[in-house]
Amino acid sequence: MKKSELFYTAVYIRLSREDGDKEESDSVGNQRRLLTEYVSRMENFLLYDTYVDDGYTGTSFDRPSFKRMIADIEEGKVNCVVVKDLSRFGRDYIDTGRYLERVFPELGVRFISVSDGIDSIRQTYDMLLPIKNIFNEQYARDISKKIQATVKSKQKAGEFIGSFTSYGYKKSPADKNKLIIDEYAAEVVRKVFRLYIGGMGKLSIAKLLNAEGILCPSEYKMANGENYKNCNRLESTSYWTYSTINAMLKNEMYRGTMVQGKKHQQMRSRQKLVDKEDWIIVKGTHEPIIDLETWEKTQKLLSKRHRDMGLEENKNIFAGFIICADCGRAMMKNFWKRADGSKTYSFYCGTYKRHGKGYCTPHRLPFQVLEKIIRNDLRVIINNVNDLQRLVEEQHFSYPKEKIAEKELVRVKDELERVQKLKKSVYEDYKEGIISKEEYVVYREDYLKKEELYKKQTETLEQKWKESVAGDIFQTPWIKRLLEMKDIEKLDRVEIVEMVDQIVVYENCKIKIRYNFGNELENLFLDVYQESKVV
């Protein structure tokens, strides 16, 4: 270390009851005092900033202040990080080790853990460091299990356990596990139920509330000072939607029933939905906003109202693939009748159709135009593949067998991931009312079959790749499928799923189409043409 070298220091502080942190000794105030005093005593140390994550678990590095600190490090503003002890930095031993032994050294960052006596510039990390990290994680895992058991026990007793209440309720000042009515929001809830029973549709109710300037639930909570974030909504959505009204009309909390335990999360994993029969439901835990008669009428109406539609005539082959370039919402298919009685179909931005031009523009795209563009694209691609096949045959080019298997394995894995995303996307379209339940069931079955197929293909190709066995370059599934589509006249759902990844629609009928095989096809052409020149 050079005598004159300056260390622009980040003091990092973290506290979480979920990790079993000791409130007194590990409090934010105590950590701040200890670390700022330490930095002030150190020669050549300049305190750049203090980063505090209060209430964030150490088992994940998805913390706002930690991310801000890393951004400052990457921008060269910080070259030293000081923490009270390793558990304050993180309790995930894999990611903690990655930061300390790879990320920080590569970025030239000095790391100091005061209580552990660790200073990366004075000595290398000893062999006990990984063990300390493992103990930190195991401690957090044990505490997590105990907390989950306590939470479940409270839920079964009808106590509210959650950060945010359903719209219309708030936590009691006297007992945070009890719900009391928020009269302003509750009146909006009652209004929604009255309008629905009176015959108004969910979308019409959403438009009316928007026109009256009533804040949607997420905006209302933030306006009341709650640090609320709805992870299921698009970032640009700050208004009432069909899905918000639909969820409200089905929310049993409004009849005085506590419904909890809908999701479950384990360490190092995402939240997973829990089957309805495993939800924790306790009746009569709080004052209802909606009386029993109104609730039962609403549920009866919900069960009766559905679109009776001919599935084949109205099937949207592009469902789950086509989105608005500006707001990110799915495009909706609409039609009008010509004078001769025939129908003309076009796509419109879902936000525009539901909420009007105040929220987005039409982005109108005729169905026939989109179908023709994709059909022509595929014809050009198929012709190019045919030309490629002739070139290979003329030049007697031999493509490395193991290379075929490896590339095909990567492609199939990408396809598997894409189908899983599409399965989720088409569910979201159904929840938003963009497609019918019948369409959703058909598409879901389609995706489940493809998911199973790609999983089997992955297993087969992994075995082939290990054995370095592959066949003719033009026998790979996606090229074979292209060659089979030589005289394509009309697209169907199967071809869209196989060939298209995403369609983004801009105004004035401008579109951007991403095909599934784009990169693979480009690389294949490059490989073959380069080899043919050598030959």
Side-chain angles (χ1 to χ4, degrees):
M1 179 181 65
K2 297 177 182 177
K3 193 91 173 175
S4 59
E5 185 177 0
L6 284 175
F7 290 97
Y8 297 94
T9 306
V11 162
Y12 182 72
I13 296 167
R14 186 190 64 79
L15 182 68
S16 171
R17 302 291 181 273
E18 290 183 10
D19 287 353
D21 295 341
K22 301 175 289 300
E23 187 170 353
E24 185 61 33
S25 61
D26 288 331
S27 69
V28 170
N30 280 341
Q31 289 184 62
R32 191 192 301 271
R33 186 163 49 253
L34 171 72
L35 298 178
T36 50
E37 287 176 1
Y38 177 87
V39 171
S40 66
R41 292 197 308 268
M42 296 293 286
E43 188 179 355
N44 299 336
F45 273 45
L46 292 176
L47 179 61
Y48 177 77
D49 202 353
T50 300
Y51 304 81
V52 181
D53 282 318
D54 192 358
Y56 287 86
T57 178
T59 58
S60 168
F61 280 89
D62 186 14
R63 314 173 213 143
S65 290
F66 184 85
K67 287 181 176 178
R68 184 169 65 86
M69 180 180 73
I70 294 299
D72 288 343
I73 288 171
E74 290 173 344
E75 290 175 14
K77 298 175 182 177
V78 170
N79 62 354
C80 180
V81 174
V82 179
V83 298
K84 175 180 176 282
D85 57 57
L86 280 173
S87 67
R88 301 304 92 218
F89 185 75
R91 290 187 183 274
D92 182 325
Y93 80 91
I94 292 176
D95 278 343
T96 298
R98 184 173 65 85
Y99 275 107
L100 299 189
E101 299 184 38
R102 293 188 61 182
V103 177
F104 284 176
E106 287 174 6
L107 294 172
V109 175
R110 180 177 181 179
F111 178 79
I112 297 173
S113 174
V114 177
S115 299
D116 296 308
I118 293 173
D119 185 344
S120 63
I121 207 168
R122 298 189 186 281
Q123 74 276 328
T124 56
Y125 300 123
D126 61 40
M127 63 184 294
L128 292 177
L129 179 63
I131 297 173
K132 288 179 182 178
N133 288 332
I134 290 173
F135 274 120
N136 282 332
E137 175 169 328
Q138 192 56 44
Y139 177 71
R141 193 183 296 275
D142 184 52
I143 291 294
S144 176
K145 286 180 181 177
K146 291 176 180 176
I147 289 175
Q148 284 181 16
T150 302
V151 165
K152 187 166 275 192
S153 175
K154 287 187 174 184
Q155 288 174 336
K156 287 179 178 179
E159 296 183 45
F160 177 75
I161 305 295
S163 301
F164 304 102
T165 64
S166 291
Y167 178 77
Y169 288 103
K170 57 186 178 181
K171 295 178 184 179
S172 166
D175 184 352
K176 65 180 181 179
N177 299 127
K178 295 290 182 184
L179 297 182
I180 58 174
I181 290 178
D182 176 343
E183 280 304 333
Y184 172 82
E187 189 50 46
V188 177
V189 173
R190 294 185 191 106
K191 181 176 183 175
V192 168
F193 277 79
R194 280 198 307 270
L195 290 171
Y196 186 72
I197 289 175
M200 187 176 284
K202 300 168 192 174
L203 182 55
S204 299
I205 295 171
K207 285 182 176 180
L208 177 65
L209 296 179
N210 287 326
E212 292 178 351
I214 297 172
L215 294 177
C216 69
S218 56
E219 294 294 309
Y220 177 75
K221 288 175 182 178
M222 287 190 283
N224 280 282
E226 295 185 57
N227 186 24
Y228 178 78
K229 183 179 180 182
N230 180 356
C231 298
N232 294 319
R233 74 182 177 100
L234 294 175
E235 203 167 317
S236 57
T237 307
S238 55
Y239 46 85
W240 291 89
T241 65
Y242 172 97
S243 58
T244 305
I245 301 298
N246 186 49
M248 183 176 286
L249 292 170
K250 296 176 180 178
N251 190 350
E252 291 188 69
M253 298 288 278
Y254 296 134
R255 65 167 182 164
T257 298
M258 189 72 73
V259 182
Q260 299 182 101
K262 291 183 177 182
K263 296 179 181 179
H264 178 69
Q265 183 174 16
Q266 293 181 327
M267 281 180 61
R268 285 210 196 125
S269 64
R270 294 182 178 182
Q271 279 191 340
K272 293 183 179 179
L273 294 174
V274 175
D275 293 336
K276 190 169 183 178
E277 55 266 27
D278 295 323
W279 292 359
I280 299 173
I281 301 174
V282 184
K283 295 181 179 180
T285 58
H286 52 275
E287 185 181 352
I289 293 175
I290 302 300
D291 63 78
L292 184 59
E293 183 183 356
T294 302
W295 173 263
E296 289 179 345
K297 277 184 183 178
T298 302
Q299 302 316 300
K300 194 172 182 180
L301 278 172
L302 285 169
S303 65
K304 285 183 177 180
R305 286 185 182 176
H306 62 275
R307 286 185 291 176
D308 295 318
M309 59 185 294
L311 180 60
E312 291 307 313
E313 296 101 11
N314 291 285
K315 192 172 179 180
N316 180 2
I317 64 172
F318 297 107
F321 293 89
I322 181 168
I323 64 170
C324 171
D326 292 322
C327 72
R329 285 274 179 192
M331 301 285 285
M332 298 176 68
K333 193 173 80 167
N334 199 18
F335 72 90
W336 67 90
K337 287 186 178 180
R338 294 193 180 109
D340 60 2
S342 61
K343 293 179 181 178
T344 300
Y345 293 91
S346 287
F347 291 102
Y348 289 85
C349 167
T351 300
Y352 168 79
K353 285 294 293 180
R354 291 179 178 282
H355 307 289
K357 61 184 179 181
Y359 296 92
C360 201
T361 51
H363 293 72
R364 178 178 173 271
L365 176 66
F367 179 91
Q368 291 84 353
V369 171
L370 176 60
E371 187 185 34
K372 185 177 179 181
I373 289 171
I374 293 178
R375 201 168 59 243
N376 289 340
D377 277 358
L378 291 175
R379 281 175 178 162
V380 171
I381 292 166
I382 290 165
N383 288 334
N384 285 334
V385 171
N386 281 323
D387 291 342
L388 181 67
Q389 188 176 28
R390 282 194 295 273
L391 174 67
V392 169
E393 290 169 356
E394 289 168 5
Q395 299 290 342
H396 304 291
F397 169 65
S398 177
Y399 201 72
K401 291 183 176 181
E402 63 274 10
K403 196 169 186 179
I404 298 171
E406 185 178 1
K407 286 195 172 186
E408 185 63 11
L409 177 59
V410 171
R411 190 197 69 79
V412 171
K413 284 184 175 179
D414 288 344
E415 278 295 291
L416 175 60
E417 184 179 349
R418 187 181 72 88
V419 166
Q420 289 169 339
K421 286 180 181 176
L422 283 171
K423 188 171 67 174
K424 180 181 177 184
S425 174
V426 84
Y427 174 72
E428 290 168 353
D429 283 356
Y430 163 59
K431 292 293 285 184
E432 286 283 341
I434 293 171
I435 61 174
S436 69
K437 183 177 180 180
E438 291 87 349
E439 286 178 303
Y440 166 66
V441 170
V442 171
Y443 295 151
R444 183 176 179 276
E445 284 301 311
D446 182 35
Y447 290 138
L448 286 172
K449 288 177 184 175
K450 289 188 180 299
E451 189 176 23
E452 184 63 27
L453 174 65
Y454 286 132
K455 283 179 179 178
K456 288 179 180 177
Q457 285 185 359
T458 300
E459 292 173 6
T460 303
L461 285 166
E462 281 176 342
Q463 186 61 34
K464 276 188 175 184
W465 185 73
K466 288 175 184 175
E467 297 170 1
S468 295
V469 175
D472 181 358
I473 183 175
F474 293 100
Q475 293 305 307
T476 53
W478 60 277
I479 293 185
K480 281 180 69 178
R481 183 69 182 115
L482 279 171
L483 292 171
E484 288 168 2
M485 296 168 60
K486 285 180 182 177
D487 302 314
I488 183 170
E489 291 297 330
K490 187 178 180 181
L491 294 173
D492 61 25
R493 178 71 180 179
V494 173
E495 286 152 355
I496 296 300
V497 171
E498 285 180 339
M499 302 297 166
V500 177
D501 181 38
Q502 189 180 67
I503 304 165
V504 182
V505 182
Y506 300 82
E507 277 292 4
N508 303 317
C509 286
K510 292 181 179 178
I511 63 175
K512 180 180 179 182
I513 304 172
R514 190 166 66 232
Y515 291 99
N516 294 329
F517 46 76
N519 292 334
E520 290 89 345
L521 193 62
E522 185 178 336
N523 292 335
L524 177 59
F525 270 73
L526 186 63
D527 287 343
V528 171
Y529 279 114
Q530 284 178 343
E531 286 294 328
S532 65
K533 286 179 182 178
V534 173
V535 173

